Amino acid sequence: MAPKGGGILYTIYDPEVSHSRVAKLDLVLVHGLNGDHIESWTHQESGICWPRDLLPEQLPGIRVLSFSYSADIYANTSVAGIRDNAQNLLSSLRDLREEGAEEESRPIVFAAHSLGGIIVKQALRMAHNDGLFKSLGILTRGLIFFGTPHAGSDHKRWLGMAKKFAPLAPGPRFFGWSRPSPLVESLTRNSRELQALCDDFRHLASEYDIVSFYEIAFFPGSKNIIVSQTSAVMGLPREEPIPLDQHHMDMVRFESESDSGFIITCGRLGRIMGKG
């Protein structure tokens, strides 16, 4: 996980290193609550991390970056909230891309799970308003959201999800802590911060091709969908809503190149690369 108080942007696949070719697109992954920059995207049984192990076989011209930040639900001593993590994401991405003219002009696609989608939306809002990061906003071509609670989620459901997630997350957990991270509070329904972000983002959304995956399988041990379709889909003109027959955690874990979510993701990324 990321160090306390900050985020790290890892390069998990670079075509220049692996195949001596210049990347045509940067794919930036942002995990969700109790997530990890590798484990969140890794199928538990096969051990396949699709952005690292499958995607380069289908689209070798994509450089894959994965943002790691302190997203523990409990025992999280980081005071970083949505805005802080969004700022760290932008700063890390800008610094990484300042190495040459080709990097600075390379298109960007963000793929985000759950809370990660809120951080991405906040980052794009900040990029739109801050000259330091404006080029990152302009070069962003597409957004792929996996179970992002754009309209928030029921408070009790999020806390119930936190208890379910805790044993699945990597690293030690201190179950004596009863107060959830401020990140959870940011996701409760009708949160003022979340509502303001949703309203502002609608004015920016026309600039991007958007795919919004929503889960249609109950979370294990419950009879609940963690993020409902009505929350995961924004209803925007350039948004494509797509159901995935997986629960909230597994919707970003593809076992093979035949998984429908992987096929759709590759298709949308290939289309964006083709546009240049």
Side-chain angles (χ1 to χ4, degrees), residues 92-245:
S92 299
L93 187 55
R94 180 195 60 186
D95 293 346
L96 187 66
R97 289 166 57 91
E98 283 185 340
E99 299 175 1
E102 290 180 343
E103 294 228 1
E104 290 181 340
S105 60
R106 184 180 299 153
I108 302 167
V109 173
F110 288 96
H113 179 222
S114 193
L115 168 72
I118 305 300
I119 292 174
V120 167
K121 287 165 63 177
Q122 177 66 61
L124 291 173
R125 179 169 70 169
M126 295 171 71
H128 182 77
N129 295 323
D130 189 332
L132 287 174
F133 306 117
K134 200 170 188 66
S135 64
L136 296 178
I138 293 172
L139 288 168
T140 297
R141 301 288 189 263
L143 306 171
I144 303 174
F145 295 116
F146 293 89
T148 293
H150 300 289
S153 188
D154 179 78
H155 183 63
K156 291 183 179 179
R157 184 175 297 178
W158 275 112
L159 295 183
M161 180 184 68
K163 295 177 182 178
K164 296 284 187 182
F165 276 12
L168 300 178
R173 291 294 174 266
F174 304 92
F175 295 102
W177 290 50
S178 59
R179 183 174 179 81
S181 161
L183 293 173
V184 176
E185 299 298 329
S186 298
L187 293 174
T188 56
R189 189 176 300 280
N190 298 323
S191 162
R192 291 182 180 180
E193 178 183 2
L194 187 57
Q195 187 59 53
L197 176 57
C198 287
D199 292 343
D200 289 349
F201 183 75
R202 286 186 173 275
H203 298 293
L204 306 176
S206 62
E207 302 175 19
Y208 316 117
D209 290 321
I210 301 174
V211 174
S212 292
F213 288 108
Y214 59 93
E215 66 222 59
I216 58 174
F218 292 148
F219 194 75
S222 75
K223 294 183 178 180
N224 289 321
I225 298 292
I226 299 301
V227 178
S228 66
Q229 178 183 354
T230 55
S231 184
V233 177
M234 294 174 284
L236 299 171
R238 292 183 65 180
E239 178 187 23
E240 182 180 7
I242 300 174
L244 284 182
D245 191 15

